Amino acid sequence: MPTVYLCSEQVRVLTESMFKRLRRWVVTRFFGHSRQRARLVSKDGRCNIEFGNVEAQSRFIFFVDIWTTVLDLKWRYKMTIFITAFLGSWFFFGLLWYAVAYIHKDLPEFHPSANHTPCVENVNGLTAAFLFSLETQVTIGYGFRCVTEQCATAIFLLIFQSILGVMINSFMCGAILAKISRPKKRAKTITFSKNAVISKRGGKLCLLIRVANLRKSLLIGSHIYGKLLRTTVTPEGETIILDQININFVVDAGNENLFFISPLTIYHVIDHNSPFFHMAAETLIQQDFELVVFLDGTVESTSATCQVRTSYVPEEVLWGYRFAPIVSKTKEGKYRVDFHNFSKTVEVETPHCAMCLYNEKDARARMKRGYDNPNFILSEVNETDDTKM
């Protein structure tokens, strides 16, 4: 068996890698389930927030903006309103038609004469009045029941129900179509990586996130940005919960008008202005923050604007990793995206803090430059030749 010798640098790298894996396993195993991070935004983009002690006057505003209120309702409530609106209006106007027949004494219990002309032909009871109301509002018109010119009340009621029926049909059918075609559904086909990673990119320490469009149709004018949410205490002693800090994300071509045809890796440069600058690999898991990432764009097929959201807590930020390659080219010349590696990460050598990286760069830069030392005095020495021939 050949003997394998490891140099001290290789031993140090292997030791650090082993301790890093052990530390992450311990944190995940013993603290990952017991410590539940409070999220403002879930992984699928839903906001975890509730409003309490809202005044009754403020709640009335929701009924003023009834269109948005109906669109925001869940499907089970929307369908309940849909069915109730139609059945309720049919039954209500059925009662009115029955009242017209009762007042005009068209019902059989009044024993009308043979030459009696009713307001509505063949409305002999409440069931018949309900059926005539349904036929009038949905414009079925079977021809068995009809309004005569005998009383103006019936003619006015016919016109009023027809107009109101068109309004109900327009509102409810429009609400159903708008609910189905909301750009929120388009956002479901935009996915983010499960974890964010921190590693070197272009000689800089960066926080990287991968995002993909599962449809071949593009998002026009896409713009991506982030917000770091954390609790801060001001110098005046005020505690601000959910304090928001802007996080700039870019790709190599910029953060606007993205060519979103294939999965993109967006990154945030951790420099002196970044809130991640004073964090380190050992202290990241102890931080209390939530990174919310937004992607805004216009749907190409409908020209509607949509927004995709997700969030990352410290346990979901991996220090010292990068994403595995995902795009390849086949022999036929086609580009292939392997989503099996979409959230897969690979461990790489990374400085354990951003400050260390910048200090290392400054030290290297100082070594390449010379400095004058004012305390250095060159003393002249007379050289003598002691060599004798």
Side-chain angles (χ1 to χ4, degrees):
M1 294 293 294
T3 304
V4 179
Y5 296 97
L6 296 178
C7 63
S8 59
E9 182 66 21
Q10 292 176 328
V11 173
R12 184 185 63 81
V13 173
L14 291 176
T15 305
E16 290 181 356
S17 176
M18 181 182 64
F19 277 106
K20 184 184 295 184
R21 291 177 180 271
L22 180 61
R23 183 179 65 253
R24 185 168 297 278
W25 180 85
V26 170
V27 171
T28 305
R29 178 66 178 83
F30 295 98
F31 301 99
H33 300 286
S34 59
R35 185 184 179 185
Q36 296 293 334
R37 299 273 185 175
R39 290 180 180 269
L40 178 65
V41 180
S42 61
K43 297 295 289 185
D44 57 357
R46 292 176 297 176
C47 295
N48 179 27
I49 191 170
E50 63 178 14
F51 300 98
N53 299 325
V54 180
E55 298 180 357
Q57 184 179 1
S58 300
R59 294 179 181 178
F60 181 74
I61 300 178
F62 291 98
F63 294 96
V64 175
D65 187 13
I66 188 64
W67 176 254
T68 306
T69 302
V70 173
L71 288 183
D72 290 339
L73 290 176
K74 295 182 179 180
W75 274 107
R76 54 181 177 269
Y77 302 124
K78 184 183 293 292
M79 295 307 299
T80 301
I81 295 177
F82 183 85
I83 296 173
T84 303
F86 284 102
L87 290 179
S89 61
W90 296 341
F91 184 74
F92 173 74
F93 280 100
L95 293 177
L96 294 181
W97 287 114
Y98 180 81
V100 169
Y102 183 86
I103 294 173
H104 198 255
K105 296 183 179 181
D106 298 335
L107 301 177
E109 56 263 26
F110 292 103
H111 304 287
S113 59
N115 58 353
H116 177 77
T117 303
C119 291
V120 182
E121 294 284 352
N122 300 311
V123 174
N124 302 320
L126 184 59
T127 304
F130 174 79
L131 293 176
F132 178 73
S133 173
L134 188 151
E135 295 171 14
T136 302
Q137 189 164 329
V138 300
T139 64
I140 295 178
Y142 291 117
F144 183 68
R145 302 178 182 88
C146 61
V147 177
T148 63
E149 67 277 4
Q150 183 64 27
C151 53
T153 305
I155 298 175
F156 173 79
L157 185 59
L158 177 67
I159 297 174
F160 181 72
Q161 184 178 4
S162 299
I163 296 175
L164 186 62
V166 172
M167 295 176 62
I168 294 176
N169 288 337
S170 302
F171 183 86
M172 298 309 302
C173 294
I176 295 295
L177 291 177
K179 181 75 171 179
I180 295 175
S181 60
R182 292 184 73 180
K184 184 178 180 181
K185 302 302 179 182
R186 176 64 176 90
K188 299 295 183 181
T189 56
I190 306 296
T191 180
F192 288 88
S193 57
K194 180 180 178 182
N195 297 308
V197 298
I198 295 179
S199 60
K200 292 176 64 176
R201 185 183 181 93
K204 301 178 181 178
L205 192 64
C206 301
L207 183 142
L208 300 98
I209 297 173
R210 178 171 279 175
V211 58
N213 180 16
L214 301 182
R215 288 186 180 273
K216 292 185 178 180
S217 59
L218 300 179
L219 284 180
I220 304 173
S222 300
H223 174 65
I224 193 162
Y225 57 96
K227 299 286 185 181
L228 186 70
L229 308 179
R230 63 183 181 182
T231 302
T232 59
V233 180
T234 63
E236 295 77 16
E238 179 185 3
T239 302
I240 303 177
I241 300 178
L242 298 181
D243 186 23
Q244 301 183 15
I245 302 175
N246 291 328
I247 301 295
N248 296 323
F249 282 97
V250 295
V251 293
D252 294 333
N255 62 340
E256 294 184 358
N257 300 325
L258 304 178
F259 186 45
F260 208 3
I261 191 63
S262 64
L264 298 175
T265 301
I266 61 175
Y267 61 91
H268 163 72
V269 179
I270 304 178
D271 53 11
H272 294 81
N273 299 322
S274 173
F276 296 94
F277 183 76
H278 297 284
M279 299 183 188
E282 296 81 4
T283 62
L284 178 64
I285 201 68
Q286 304 171 2
Q287 302 294 325
D288 186 13
F289 66 84
E290 180 179 357
L291 176 61
V292 184
V293 184
F294 303 86
L295 174 63
D296 298 339
T298 302
V299 182
E300 184 180 24
S301 55
T302 62
S303 299
T305 303
C306 69
Q307 183 182 87
V308 193
R309 299 179 296 267
T310 190
S311 68
Y312 298 92
V313 293
E315 290 82 1
E316 297 170 344
V317 179
L318 307 180
W319 195 296
Y321 290 82
R322 64 172 175 84
F323 290 110
I326 192 174
V327 180
S328 61
K329 192 174 182 179
T330 61
K331 296 180 180 179
E332 293 79 11
K334 293 184 178 181
Y335 293 93
R336 183 176 183 271
V337 179
D338 185 9
F339 280 93
H340 178 72
N341 294 337
F342 180 72
S343 295
K344 186 178 180 180
T345 57
V346 179
E347 188 175 4
V348 293
E349 184 178 357
T350 305
H352 74 281
C353 66
M355 192 177 299
C356 299
L357 176 63
Y358 285 98
N359 291 339
E360 181 182 355
K361 289 184 176 180
D362 293 341
R364 291 178 180 177
R366 286 194 299 267
M367 291 177 61
K368 295 180 180 180
R369 297 192 299 263
Y371 295 92
D372 292 333
N373 189 351
N375 296 324
F376 179 76
I377 300 176
L378 178 62
S379 59
E380 296 183 358
V381 179
N382 296 326
E383 297 182 358
T384 58
D385 189 3
D386 298 335
T387 303
K388 296 180 179 180
M389 296 300 294

